[in-house]
């Protein structure tokens, strides 16, 4: 079982970010209030069930923090600076990263936030202030599973505490409900349940329920990634590959190379008893119809093809740039990208060049006026997929955009 190791003190600075601060604050509030309410509701030393309840609560907290800190500090794994394949001829199948001064290994991508090429990069997560990739994918997904389970347990404790403490203080009339918070109970609790305690418990209950829903949705998204062995970036590459084949009528059959044929095999590739995923992050087991560089060759084809490098879309709905828009559908709201990258507001009729995306969101550059272009204005960010429709491909616009290559 791997442990958190600090290669240098710079790693500790990952905690000094709004994402970890909020995440750890939610964990601390829910755990502390659940422990206090457990003492009030079900004193652990009186019964076996009370002891089990208390130990389970502590167990959730320890496991959540263990996986959270491993996801943050173990990191995704980075391609060594200046890396080259063992066979020099293989460099023709790989993209070169000017920042890392080396070639990008299969499934790796350059992260602007981390400023490194990341092994099997899925996304940069602000909640751990690090990328989710090869080495920490299992820890990150385990955290996404344990956090809703722990919060569900905590929410149950909060509800039972409020119910048992307020039951004898509530008198029901035909038309009114009166709550006397100063009433004296027949049996004095070990800890007083006052008005501030009630307010704190109610607040913690809201946090626990919100975390259960939000993080639970993220868990199912990550499980889909693991069971298909396909990252969100690779999904976009696959979508553009099929679009390229359809447009040119090449008759090719695109087979995603990293799907091992069954969900169980894909699952075992990430989750192991040791906690360390299989493979070195540079070479990968592939489908029988593919080879190590099948996807990287497809990326090079797309990079050379100006038509698919950036796909042009036109806005058919207004979008105000909200992070989680309530008026764009349930799935758009809950599947908002977990990233610090900005959202761009759109007005009906505006044009954007999409460079990547997910099933519900897209990322790209809004086409601005010539005056704004001369002034160096560049509007780039995420927008809901339902707000745009694919239109013709503007080669000239693609050329001006592609000159500013992103590693």
């Amino acid at each position: 079982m791997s442990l958190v190791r600090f290669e240098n003190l710079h790693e500790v600075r990952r905690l000094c970010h709004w994402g970890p601060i909020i995440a750890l604050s939610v964990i601390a509030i829910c755990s502390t209030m659940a422990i206090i309410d457990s003492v009030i509701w079900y004193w652990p030393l009186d019964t076996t069930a009370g002891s089990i309840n208390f130990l389970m609560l502590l167990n959730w907290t320890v496991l959540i923090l263990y996986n959270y800190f491993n996801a943050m500090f173990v990191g995704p794994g980075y391609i060594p600076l200046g890396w080259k394949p063992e066979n020099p001829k293989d460099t023709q199948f790989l993209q070169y990263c000017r920042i890392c001064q080396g070639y990008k290994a299969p499934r790796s991508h350059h992260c602007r936030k981390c400023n490194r090429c990341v092994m099997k990069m899925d996304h940069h997560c602000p909640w751990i202030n690090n990328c989710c990739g090869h080495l920490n994918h299992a820890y990150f997904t385990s955290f996404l599973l344990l956090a809703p389970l722990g919060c569900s347990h905590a929410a149950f404790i909060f509800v039972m505490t409020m119910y048992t403490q307020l039951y004898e203080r509530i008198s029901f009339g035909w038309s009114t409900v009166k709550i006397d918070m100063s009433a004296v109970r027949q049996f004095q609790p070990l800890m007083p349940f006052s008005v501030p305690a009630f307010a704190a418990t109610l607040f913690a209950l809201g946090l626990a329920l919100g975390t259960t829903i939000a993080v639970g949705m993220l868990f199912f998204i990550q499980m889909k990634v693991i069971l298909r062995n396909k990252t969100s970036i690779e999904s976009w590459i696959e979508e553009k590959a099929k679009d390229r084949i359809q447009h040119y009528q090449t008759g090719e059959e695109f087979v995603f190379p990293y799907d091992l044929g069954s969900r169980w095999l894909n699952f075992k590739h990430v989750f192991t008893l040791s906690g360390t995923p299989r493979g070195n992050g540079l070479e990968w087991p592939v489908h029988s119809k593919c080879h190590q560089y099948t996807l990287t060759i497809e990326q090079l084809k797309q990079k050379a093809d100006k038509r698919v490098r950036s796909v042009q879309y036109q806005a058919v709905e207004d979008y105000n740039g909200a992070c989680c828009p309530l008026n764009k559908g349930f799935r758009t709201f809950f599947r908002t990208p977990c990233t610090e990258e900005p959202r761009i507001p759109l007005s009906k009729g505006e044009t954007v060049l999409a460079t990547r995306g997910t099933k519900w969101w897209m990322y790209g550059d809004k086409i601005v006026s010539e005056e704004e272009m001369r002034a160096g204005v560049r509007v780039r960010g995420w927008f809901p997929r339902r707000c745009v429709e694919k239109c013709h491909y503007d080669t000239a616009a693609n050329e001006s955009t592609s000159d500013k290559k992103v590693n």
Side-chain angles (χ1 to χ4, degrees):
M1 182 122 0
S2 61
L3 298 173
V4 175
R5 295 188 298 271
F6 299 101
E7 295 181 0
N8 49 59
L9 291 178
H10 176 73
E11 292 296 319
V12 184
R13 294 174 58 185
R14 292 190 183 279
L15 293 168
C16 303
H17 181 266
W18 64 265
I21 290 174
I22 293 176
L24 292 174
S25 297
V26 172
I27 295 172
I29 292 172
C30 291
S31 298
T32 301
M33 287 305 304
I35 290 173
I36 293 174
D37 284 1
S38 289
V39 173
I40 297 175
W41 167 57
Y42 211 165
W43 176 241
L45 299 182
D46 282 349
T47 62
T48 302
S51 300
I52 294 175
N53 173 70
F54 193 78
L55 290 175
M56 282 294 295
L57 187 60
L58 295 178
N59 180 64
W60 291 128
T61 304
V62 171
L63 289 176
I64 288 170
L65 291 175
Y66 173 79
N67 284 281
Y68 179 81
F69 285 125
N70 269 290
M72 179 186 293
F73 294 121
V74 169
Y78 303 107
I79 303 298
L81 296 174
W83 179 82
K84 296 180 180 179
E86 293 183 3
N87 186 352
K89 293 182 179 180
D90 291 341
T91 57
Q92 63 181 312
F93 306 128
L94 300 172
Q95 296 185 57
Y96 186 80
C97 179
R98 291 171 295 177
I99 297 176
C100 297
Q101 295 295 303
Y103 288 90
K104 299 179 183 179
R107 309 195 79 177
S108 68
H109 300 274
H110 189 86
C111 175
R112 298 177 192 168
K113 295 289 183 180
C114 298
N115 205 32
R116 289 289 299 274
C117 286
V118 176
M119 296 178 178
K120 203 188 83 170
M121 178 180 175
D122 184 74
H123 68 286
H124 184 92
C125 178
W127 303 111
I128 61 174
N129 195 21
N130 208 338
C131 279
C132 175
H134 174 57
L135 294 180
N136 65 350
H137 206 169
Y139 292 120
F140 182 72
T141 308
S142 297
F143 164 72
L144 296 182
L145 170 64
L146 293 166
L149 292 177
C151 285
S152 298
H153 186 190
F156 176 75
I157 292 174
F158 298 148
V159 171
M160 293 306 298
T161 302
M162 289 189 290
Y163 174 77
T164 55
Q165 293 299 312
L166 299 179
Y167 180 76
E168 295 182 0
R169 307 180 191 188
I170 300 177
S171 59
F172 293 93
W174 287 105
S175 59
T176 60
V177 177
K178 299 178 180 179
I179 301 179
D180 181 10
M181 298 298 291
S182 62
V184 179
R185 287 174 53 88
Q186 185 177 357
F187 301 100
Q188 188 69 24
L190 294 172
M191 297 178 65
F193 192 74
S194 57
V195 173
F198 173 78
T201 299
L202 199 59
F203 176 71
L205 176 62
L207 284 181
L209 293 177
T211 302
T212 300
I213 296 172
V215 180
M217 291 288 292
L218 293 177
F219 168 73
F220 284 110
I221 294 172
Q222 286 304 310
M223 280 306 301
K224 182 185 294 186
V225 168
I226 291 172
L227 294 177
R228 295 180 178 178
N229 206 357
K230 184 189 304 179
T231 66
S232 56
I233 296 175
E234 291 166 347
S235 296
W236 176 247
I237 296 173
E238 181 182 33
E239 182 179 334
K240 290 201 293 183
K242 293 178 179 178
D243 180 76
R244 179 184 62 80
I245 293 171
Q246 181 180 6
H247 177 78
Y248 291 112
Q249 298 293 316
T250 61
E252 300 175 59
E253 178 191 4
F254 181 81
V255 178
F256 183 73
Y258 305 117
D259 188 343
L260 301 181
S262 75
R263 294 183 177 182
W264 176 240
L265 290 176
N266 291 336
F267 179 85
K268 288 197 302 180
H269 190 73
V270 175
F271 288 94
T272 61
L273 293 177
S274 65
T276 303
R278 290 182 171 86
N280 59 7
L282 301 174
E283 296 181 354
W284 306 90
V286 295
H287 193 278
S288 58
K289 295 182 179 180
C290 305
H291 56 81
Q292 282 294 318
Y293 303 112
T294 296
L295 200 65
T296 57
I297 291 174
E298 176 58 38
Q299 288 179 267
L300 292 173
K301 289 180 180 178
Q302 294 177 9
K303 191 174 183 180
D305 187 353
K306 297 183 178 68
R307 193 195 65 82
V308 297
R309 189 185 302 173
S310 297
V311 185
Q312 186 166 313
Y313 287 82
Q314 188 173 39
V316 293
E317 293 182 21
D318 292 337
Y319 168 56
N320 61 5
C323 180
C324 300
L326 294 171
N327 61 340
K328 299 302 178 183
F330 177 81
R331 293 184 177 180
T332 301
F333 176 82
F334 282 104
R335 298 291 292 273
T336 182
C338 186
T339 174
E340 292 179 279
E341 292 171 316
R343 275 61 170 168
I344 55 173
L346 295 175
S347 298
K348 192 173 180 179
E350 290 184 326
T351 307
V352 289
L353 294 175
T355 54
R356 54 191 167 99
T358 65
K359 188 174 182 180
W360 304 104
W361 288 79
M362 304 191 77
Y363 182 89
D365 296 271
K366 183 192 293 187
I367 295 180
V368 297
S369 64
E370 293 184 4
E371 294 181 358
E372 292 175 315
M373 193 177 294
R374 293 194 200 98
V377 176
R378 192 174 191 181
V379 183
R380 166 184 285 178
W382 290 93
F383 50 91
R385 186 182 282 260
R386 62 170 286 175
C387 293
V388 296
E389 284 184 354
K390 187 184 295 186
C391 53
H392 67 279
Y393 298 93
D394 190 342
T395 302
N398 282 336
E399 288 177 347
S400 63
T401 303
S402 61
D403 288 339
K404 305 173 182 178
K405 293 180 181 178
V406 180
N407 282 280

